[in-house]
Amino acid sequence: MRERLGRWRFARGLKACTAADDEVLTQYAGAAWPSPDIPAREAPLLALDFELDGLARNAHVLQAGWIGFDSSGIALAGARSVDVRSLRQLDDSAVAVHGIGEERARQGVALQEAARSFLGDLAGRILVAHGASIERDVIRRISKAMFGIEAPVCSICTLQLERRISPNLVGSDAYRLSAARKRHNLPGYAQHDALSDALAAAELFLAQLSRLPADVRLGSLESW
């Protein structure tokens, strides 16, 4: 039931994008989206991560990093990372985490330019992220502000999947991206850089996928 409802909402969102007076959204809606019934190993994927100015729902996007991949590997040549312009006073506690200060933020690209880039690359692909609800919500918020329409996003959350593969672990840090990677014998990466975190999530998902049945359906892993 949940999967059917999610698919219905996704299709309704694409229909709204089709009627939009913007090339990015119409191309997004017209992309060849994978069926939920295909094996997950056949799905086209895009790992995406945002660095934000804090945890508020209206937090500014300060950096976006993304990379396309599938079960055969990660296309490093297509990796993208952009700093996003912000002219406001930033949250000191957030700056201490991601290291993007106000001077650097003022030199970034416009949010509209960054959004057009990652929406173009996301068209026809399933978003992969660790804690993917954040990326989904940010994309919806940005597209609503830019186009008046929330672009629908179909995603796979490596955090949720790790809870499924390794349930009932104790400790608040047990399911963090770095801890999950360690359990799958993946190397440690510097955290809180958008592209580095996107690549880390892509590698983690491929490791997780190798532990799932070969015929696991894409629809059984998706969320909306």
Side-chain angles (χ1 to χ4, degrees):
M1 178 63 181
R2 180 175 174 274
E3 182 181 330
R4 289 201 302 271
L5 180 59
R7 275 284 156 184
W8 176 79
R9 288 174 174 168
F10 185 75
R12 185 179 64 173
L14 290 182
K15 186 176 181 180
C17 291
T18 301
D21 185 23
D22 189 279
E23 185 178 5
V24 170
L25 284 192
T26 54
Q27 290 181 352
Y28 187 84
W33 293 94
S35 165
D37 295 323
I38 67 170
R41 287 169 171 77
E42 297 178 8
L45 308 163
L46 187 86
L48 173 67
D49 183 78
F50 294 124
E51 292 299 324
L52 305 175
D53 178 33
L55 300 176
R57 290 187 62 84
N58 63 344
H60 278 203
V61 177
L62 299 179
Q63 188 185 45
W66 65 96
I67 186 167
F69 72 110
D70 57 31
S71 63
S72 67
I74 301 172
L76 293 175
R80 298 287 308 278
S81 177
V82 294
D83 285 356
V84 179
R85 186 181 308 140
S86 176
L87 302 179
R88 76 179 185 181
Q89 183 176 352
L90 302 182
D91 183 292
D92 289 341
S93 60
V95 172
V97 172
H98 53 59
I100 302 174
E102 292 173 11
E103 182 177 354
R104 177 177 167 184
R106 291 189 178 94
Q107 298 173 7
V109 306
L111 178 60
Q112 291 84 351
E113 179 182 342
R116 289 181 181 278
S117 294
F118 62 68
L119 282 173
D121 287 348
L122 182 58
R125 293 176 177 269
I126 308 303
L127 184 150
V128 174
H130 200 71
S133 62
I134 294 175
E135 278 66 32
R136 288 200 314 269
D137 289 347
V138 169
I139 291 174
R140 290 169 181 161
R141 170 163 58 89
I142 291 172
S143 64
K144 179 70 172 179
M146 287 177 58
F147 311 115
I149 295 172
E150 291 187 1
V153 180
C154 189
S155 66
I156 295 174
C157 179
T158 54
L159 172 58
Q160 291 181 357
L161 187 54
E162 188 63 17
R163 290 184 182 278
R164 179 167 149 185
I165 292 172
S166 304
N168 304 318
L169 297 180
V170 178
S172 59
D173 294 337
Y175 293 102
R176 290 185 180 273
L177 179 56
S178 57
R181 285 177 58 84
K182 186 175 182 180
R183 277 193 296 277
H184 291 272
N185 298 313
L186 294 169
Y189 280 166
Q191 298 180 64
H192 304 299
D193 171 81
L195 180 56
S196 178
D197 286 349
L199 178 59
E203 291 178 344
L204 175 59
F205 177 65
L206 293 181
Q208 292 171 327
L209 193 59
S210 71
R211 297 182 59 178
L212 297 175
D215 60 350
V216 64
R217 293 172 52 255
L218 174 62
S220 70
L221 305 181
E222 292 174 307
S223 55
W224 298 267

